[in-house]
Amino acid sequence: MAEPRVPGGRESELELACGEVIDTHDDLHMGIRALDCACGETHAVVLGAHPLSRFVPEFLADILTETVEPADDHDEFTMAHLMGVVMEEFPEQVAVADAADDGAVGFSMAWVTDFDSRRLHEIVVELIVELMEHAVSHSEDDAVMSEFEAQMLEFDVEAFVEQYRAERNFDDRHDSAV
């Protein structure tokens, strides 16, 4: 995972990919999902406390936490792992704040992307599909791989994200899982 970007002397400052600087104490909070930036763009915000079901249905989040074995000290796949995958693909477009030792905020990690929440959602789903495809490719059952590939040919990421976001209230900090 990339080192948090701290531009000035204040540890609560975070330089975004667009070059703007925000204060994690003032600009980020537990209910935030998007940040209207001084650069004129809206950036997606993900906090370590956000559930994986922010991006995928509960049953799939459960499958990910039960089956993906992280290569670190965590017992299960978490939002930190998922955002780590995003950062691997887009290292220059994600700023990360490690606030684990900062008792003034209610989160331990925060990621602010150069793209908006909808585009981040699409990217996350695409990366989860790739992760699933990789897992299925290790199956010794050719029929399973063929079935998965057939299903993925029919899977429309944009349509999935549109429907999933419509079924959840992302404008409300109390959105519920589907």
Side-chain angles (χ1 to χ4, degrees):
M1 195 172 287
E3 287 295 314
R5 295 185 215 161
V6 181
R10 295 178 51 197
E11 289 193 26
S12 63
E13 289 183 342
L14 177 64
E15 183 179 354
L16 306 180
C18 66
E20 294 293 332
V21 176
I22 63 168
D23 188 298
T24 58
H25 292 181
D26 298 334
D27 299 316
L28 303 180
H29 54 80
M30 290 302 291
I32 195 166
R33 300 267 196 282
L35 175 73
D36 292 327
C37 186
C39 76
E41 299 294 324
T42 300
H43 304 301
V45 176
V46 178
L47 302 178
H50 289 167
L52 294 172
S53 60
R54 172 176 173 180
F55 299 111
V56 294
E58 286 288 332
F59 80 89
L60 185 52
D62 291 344
I63 290 171
L64 289 169
T65 58
E66 292 170 13
T67 59
V68 177
E69 294 182 26
D72 59 16
D73 294 337
H74 289 86
D75 293 332
E76 61 184 32
F77 189 77
T78 65
M79 186 61 79
H81 297 104
L82 182 58
M83 290 307 296
V85 174
V86 173
M87 288 177 63
E88 282 181 27
E89 293 294 318
F90 302 95
E92 301 301 318
Q93 294 170 298
V94 182
V96 60
D98 182 346
D101 295 329
D102 187 347
V105 296
F107 52 86
S108 60
M109 295 293 293
W111 299 267
V112 182
T113 68
D114 201 34
F115 21 81
D116 66 19
S117 292
R118 180 180 177 83
R119 179 65 188 131
L120 174 62
H121 198 156
E122 291 169 352
I123 288 167
V124 165
V125 171
E126 290 166 358
L127 292 172
I128 289 173
V129 167
E130 287 179 20
L131 179 67
M132 292 168 51
E133 184 175 32
H134 177 75
V136 170
S137 73
H138 290 287
S139 169
E140 295 180 15
D141 187 340
D142 290 338
V144 169
M145 186 62 183
S146 295
E147 175 66 22
F148 181 81
E149 287 175 350
Q151 289 178 0
M152 288 304 100
L153 287 174
E154 296 178 21
F155 183 68
D156 183 336
V157 171
E158 289 181 19
F160 169 82
V161 168
E162 181 71 29
Q163 180 180 352
Y164 193 72
R165 293 175 75 82
E167 291 176 8
R168 298 211 33 194
N169 182 0
F170 285 99
D171 293 328
D172 180 356
R173 65 175 21 170
H174 303 290
D175 66 295
S176 59
V178 293

